[in-house]
């Protein structure tokens, strides 16, 4: 069709790898390698004279279908799938950085990402500066002659701080650097960072893209030029996504738009209810009308997301809530159809030093929710009885 298709249609119809058997669902290619017709055919495949598949670490039809579908949703020329969200972040860094380079990173990141940047990236002679995700002036002040990459997640996990992508893209491109955005909390249907100037959008497909807590995966999206370099890195380092995981993730993508619409709606109702509770000192959710960055959120996001942070008095009070729920699952995963709850200070951000957590505004009384598809009044009732304990 010549008509531009809606994301909901692309999520179901985009990027199918069709075989001669005309299967309706995407076929699962559980094979490590692929055969060729002749020595010449093999030579042409390996030299890239013709398109095709040789080895699943390099490319696989099931994984390729997933990549094409995500690229369509992100508005990207190409996407590259990886084994996990962290391997996707690794690829975004090490494809384009070398010893002597400088990175400017938001200090408000998922705890494992902070550990990767501070403990692994810096081991290779790469310098890192940490700044507020929301203060563009801090980003500008951190620029050095060797700055090659700007990295952030927006909204931040779990405080819902929103970065001005267009302003940061303008800054990055003015100094010849790349802007890389972790889009895991919103998914490609909640935000398309590339449309606001980002060079690479990274997602943990384990989260909302799967949506059912089944398999792990990561994906990067961007221009053909950048993704070709990423694909070479991922192939060389063995970061390939399992074809089985890609097949599962494709089914997750098919319901992504509908799931996110309902989960965003549930999250907003819960966040508004939490604001009225006397035990709750603060609520962090980008869908709230009184969010300090509401105008920017309307510009960059298609909804408020599924993650809510809220603060109670201290660790003891937070643990009472976490231990008191009966419906919410006590687990650190997010994006699931099943609502989850965790205490960031001791779980997702637990390996950070206390001063690092406080610098990122992660405090002992903070509780994080990932809102799923249960009946919203049941979720509110569960939180009500847990807060009353």
């Amino acid at each position: 069709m010549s008509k531009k298709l809606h994301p909901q249609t692309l999520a179901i119809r985009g990027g199918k790898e069709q075989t001669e058997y005309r299967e309706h669902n995407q076929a699962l290619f559980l094979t490590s390698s692929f055969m060729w017709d002749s020595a010449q055919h093999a030579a042409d495949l390996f030299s890239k004279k013709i398109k095709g598949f040789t080895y699943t670490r390099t490319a696989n039809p099931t994984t390729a279908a997933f990549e094409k579908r995500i690229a369509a949703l992100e508005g990207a020329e190409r996407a590259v799938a990886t084994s996990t969200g962290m391997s996707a972040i690794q690829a975004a860094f090490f494809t384009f950085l070398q010893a002597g380079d400088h990175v400017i990173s938001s200090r408000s990141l998922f705890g494992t990402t902070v550990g990767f940047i501070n403990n692994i990236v810096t081991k290779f002679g790469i310098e890192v500066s940490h700044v507020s995700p929301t203060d563009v002036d801090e980003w500008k002040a951190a620029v050095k002659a060797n700055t090659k990459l700007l990295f952030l997640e927006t909204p931040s996990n779990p405080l819902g701080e929103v970065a001005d992508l267009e302003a940061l893209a303008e800054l990055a491109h003015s100094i010849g650097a790349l802007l890389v955005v972790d889009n895991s909390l919103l998914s490609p249907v909640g935000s398309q960072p590339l449309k606001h100037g980002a060079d690479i959008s990274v997602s943990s497909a384990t989260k909302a893209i799967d949506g059912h807590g089944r398999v792990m995966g990561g994906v990067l999206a961007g221009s053909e030029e950048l993704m070709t370099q990423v694909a070479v890195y991922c192939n060389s380092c063995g970061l390939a996504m399992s074809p089985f995981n890609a097949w599962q993730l494709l089914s997750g993508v098919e319901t992504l738009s509908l799931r996110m619409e309902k989960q965003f709606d549930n999250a907003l109702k819960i966040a508004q209810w939490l604001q009225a509770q006397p035990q709750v000192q603060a609520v962090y959710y980008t869908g709230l009308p009184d969010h300090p960055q509401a105008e920017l959120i309307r510009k960059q996001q298609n909804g408020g997301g599924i993650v809510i942070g809220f603060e109670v008095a201290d660790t003891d009070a937070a643990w009472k809530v976490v231990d008191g729920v009966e419906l919410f699952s006590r687990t650190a995963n997010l994006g699931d159809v099943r609502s989850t709850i965790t205490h960031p200070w001791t779980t997702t951000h637990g390996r950070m030093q206390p001063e690092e957590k406080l610098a990122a505004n992660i405090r002992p009384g903070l509780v994080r929710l990932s809102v799923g598809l249960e009946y919203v009044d049941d979720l509110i009732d569960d939180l009500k009885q847990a807060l009353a304990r």
Side-chain angles (χ1 to χ4, degrees), residues 7-197:
Q8 188 170 322
T9 302
L10 291 173
I12 296 170
R13 295 286 182 177
K16 189 170 185 289
E17 290 282 342
Q18 187 75 53
T19 74
E20 68 271 23
Y21 295 111
R22 310 298 296 168
E23 64 279 351
H24 192 213
N25 191 32
Q26 172 60 51
L28 169 57
F29 290 86
L30 279 181
T31 181
S32 58
S33 65
F34 300 83
M35 296 186 294
W36 38 84
D37 298 333
S38 64
Q40 184 62 57
H41 182 215
D44 290 344
L45 283 169
F46 276 80
S47 65
K48 308 292 186 185
K49 288 183 179 179
I50 61 174
K51 293 183 177 181
F53 301 95
T54 59
Y55 192 57
T56 283
R57 172 166 49 77
T58 305
N60 176 284
T62 310
T63 309
F66 172 70
E67 291 171 336
K68 290 176 183 177
R69 206 167 292 183
I70 293 297
L73 291 176
E74 289 274 13
E77 293 177 357
R78 183 178 176 185
V80 176
T82 65
S83 55
T84 67
M86 288 308 304
S87 64
I89 291 174
Q90 177 198 143
F93 274 71
F94 289 141
T95 299
F96 303 104
L97 296 172
Q98 59 185 1
D101 287 343
H102 174 242
V103 174
I104 307 175
S105 170
S106 165
R107 66 172 61 97
S108 298
L109 300 171
F110 173 54
T112 303
T113 308
V114 173
F116 167 71
I117 293 173
N118 290 347
N119 303 324
I120 306 298
V121 172
T122 55
K123 282 174 56 176
F124 293 91
I126 298 167
E127 186 182 1
V128 180
S129 297
H130 297 280
V131 297
S132 163
T134 61
D135 189 341
V136 177
D137 287 337
E138 279 195 33
W139 292 81
K140 291 178 179 178
V143 169
K144 300 184 178 184
N146 58 338
T147 302
K148 301 297 182 185
L149 189 144
L150 278 61
F151 178 79
L152 65 135
E153 62 183 40
T154 185
S156 67
N157 174 15
L159 296 176
E161 300 159 292
V162 178
D164 188 333
L165 294 182
E166 291 184 3
L168 293 179
E170 182 180 354
L171 173 62
H173 300 155
S174 71
I175 59 173
L178 297 175
L179 176 62
V180 180
V181 178
D182 186 334
N183 194 31
S184 300
L185 264 67
L186 287 173
S187 86
V189 302
S191 177
Q192 296 81 39
L194 303 181
K195 294 182 180 179
H196 299 282

Side-chain angles (χ1 to χ4, degrees), residues 264-277 280 282-290 304-305 307-310 369 371 376 380 383:
F264 289 3
D265 183 56
N266 282 354
L268 176 58
K269 291 176 181 175
I270 292 172
Q272 290 175 323
W273 178 83
L274 284 167
Q275 284 186 311
Q277 306 314 304
V280 176
V283 179
Y284 308 100
Y285 180 63
T286 62
L288 290 169
D290 59 352
V307 172
I308 302 170
F310 68 93
L369 306 177
V371 179
V376 68
I380 289 173
L383 290 170

Side-chain angles (χ1 to χ4, degrees), residues 336-360:
D336 205 313
V337 296
R338 291 168 288 269
S339 298
T340 69
I341 187 168
T342 193
H343 180 235
W345 184 270
T346 52
T347 60
T348 57
H349 295 70
R351 282 173 288 184
M352 295 168 61
Q353 294 300 311
E355 60 271 17
E356 292 179 309
K357 289 185 268 193
L358 293 173

